[in-house]
Amino acid sequence: YPNHLLIFFFFFDLIDCCLSSPFDPHPVLVLDIRWQDDAHFQNLCTVNSPLELILRLQCFFGKQKLQKRFVSQFRQSLKKLSKAWTCLTHDTEASRHSLSFDTLLRVLFLAFLEARGILDKRPHFMLEEADKMRQQGRSIYDDFMRPFFFGTLNVPPGKRANHALSFGTIPFLNGGLFQPTPNEQANPKRRLPNGELWEILCNLLDGWEFADYETRHADSALDPMMLGHVFEMLMPEEFRS
C-alpha cells in the first residue's frame, strides 16, 4: 500500500500487525498472531530489521500450513494403524490408540534424527530397513521396529546383541521414549501386518522434509517442534502422564 506504514505491536502472548495511513490517525488491524510456544515468539522479537521480520513471518505462516498438512496425515495414519493391530491380549479402543500413538511418535522422533545423520549416517534409515524386511518376507514390526526400539536405541552400544549391532552406528538414547510402555508390556504378542505398516511409514517419512541444522529455518521443512504439536493435538488427555 503506497504511503502506508506497517506497524507491529508486541505483547505478552501475541503480535498485532496494523496498517497505518497518514490520512487516518487510527491504525487498522490486519493481522493478529497468537502464540502457543515461546520459541516462535522469541524468534520474532529478536529481529534486526523490518525486512528480517517480514521474512520470519513468511516462514512462520509457511510452517503453519505445512504443520496442518502433516498433522492431518499423522491423524490418518494413527486411525489406520489403530485398526491394524492383531493378537492383542487387551483389545480395547484405548489400548489400540495408545499403541499406535506411541509407535508413530517414535517414528516421527527418529525422522529428525535421520535428517541430522545420526542413524548410521543414513538419511532414509527407517524406510531402508523396513523395505529390507519387506523384500525378505519378514515382519517389519517384529524383525525391525521392536528390536530397534527396545533392543538397540535403549541399550548402550557395549551391551547390545549382535542383531542390534547389525543396524550400524546407532546412538544410545537414555530416556523413556524407547522403553516399553505398560500397555505394550500388557500386549506382548501384538503384531502388525506389513502392508498397512509399510504404507503408513511411507506416508509419514517419504515426501516430507525434516529439518536438520541447515534447513531448520526453511518454510518447506518440518522442525522438531512438530513433536510437541502432534502431542498437543492428537494425544487424548486420559493417556497423558
Side-chain angles (χ1 to χ4, degrees):
Y1 295 94
N3 300 320
H4 283 69
L5 181 65
L6 199 58
I7 305 174
F8 294 92
F9 295 95
F10 290 78
F11 299 96
F12 176 72
D13 61 348
L14 62 87
I15 293 178
D16 283 344
C17 176
C18 299
L19 195 63
S20 178
S21 165
F23 310 107
D24 186 349
H26 303 291
V28 178
L29 180 66
V30 295
L31 191 61
D32 181 47
I33 310 171
R34 295 190 176 273
W35 305 96
Q36 295 182 349
D37 58 74
D38 293 336
H40 277 129
F41 188 79
Q42 292 175 0
N43 187 40
L44 288 185
C45 289
T46 56
V47 296
N48 297 314
S49 69
L51 177 59
E52 185 180 354
L53 177 59
I54 292 172
L55 292 176
R56 291 194 185 183
L57 283 171
Q58 289 176 338
C59 179
F60 169 76
F61 285 110
K63 283 187 180 292
Q64 287 286 86
K65 294 178 181 179
L66 184 68
Q67 288 169 354
K68 287 182 180 179
R69 294 200 306 271
F70 185 81
V71 168
S72 176
Q73 180 62 68
F74 194 97
R75 182 181 287 110
Q76 294 175 26
S77 299
L78 184 61
K79 290 180 179 179
K80 183 171 293 186
L81 191 64
S82 294
K83 297 178 181 178
W85 294 99
T86 62
C87 303
L88 296 184
T89 304
H90 300 282
D91 192 352
T92 65
E93 182 178 351
S95 179
R96 286 175 173 271
H97 181 98
S98 179
L99 288 171
S100 303
F101 189 86
D102 291 333
T103 299
L104 295 186
L105 199 63
R106 292 174 182 129
V107 169
L108 179 56
F109 178 83
L110 292 174
F112 291 106
L113 296 191
E114 283 184 339
R116 296 171 59 183
I118 292 179
L119 300 183
D120 199 38
K121 298 182 179 180
R122 287 190 273 161
H124 306 290
F125 175 90
M126 294 288 289
L127 284 181
E128 289 175 358
E129 291 294 327
D131 190 45
K132 185 190 300 183
M133 297 297 101
R134 195 170 63 103
Q135 297 296 334
Q136 295 176 358
R138 300 167 64 187
S139 168
I140 295 174
Y141 187 69
D142 289 342
D143 297 323
F144 164 49
M145 295 180 71
R146 287 184 71 164
F148 187 62
F149 290 169
F150 308 126
T152 306
L153 291 165
N154 66 338
V155 178
K159 297 182 178 180
R160 289 174 183 170
N162 290 335
H163 179 71
L165 294 174
S166 69
F167 290 124
T169 305
I170 304 297
F172 168 49
L173 302 180
N174 186 18
L177 185 59
F178 293 99
Q179 296 294 338
T181 66
N183 190 33
E184 288 169 330
Q185 294 174 351
N187 290 280
K189 298 181 180 181
R190 65 192 183 280
R191 303 201 68 188
L192 284 170
N194 274 3
E196 287 87 341
L197 183 53
W198 174 250
E199 180 182 357
I200 288 169
L201 290 176
C202 288
N203 288 338
L204 286 180
L205 298 175
D206 194 21
W208 300 94
E209 182 182 1
F210 295 91
D212 57 16
Y213 290 117
E214 286 73 29
T215 63
R216 64 187 183 276
H217 295 309
D219 58 8
S220 62
L222 294 164
D223 61 50
M225 290 182 184
M226 193 71 245
L227 289 163
H229 289 299
V230 166
F231 190 90
E232 289 179 6
M233 298 184 71
L234 299 181
M235 186 66 160
E237 187 68 30
E238 59 266 26
F239 296 131
R240 303 187 186 188
S241 58

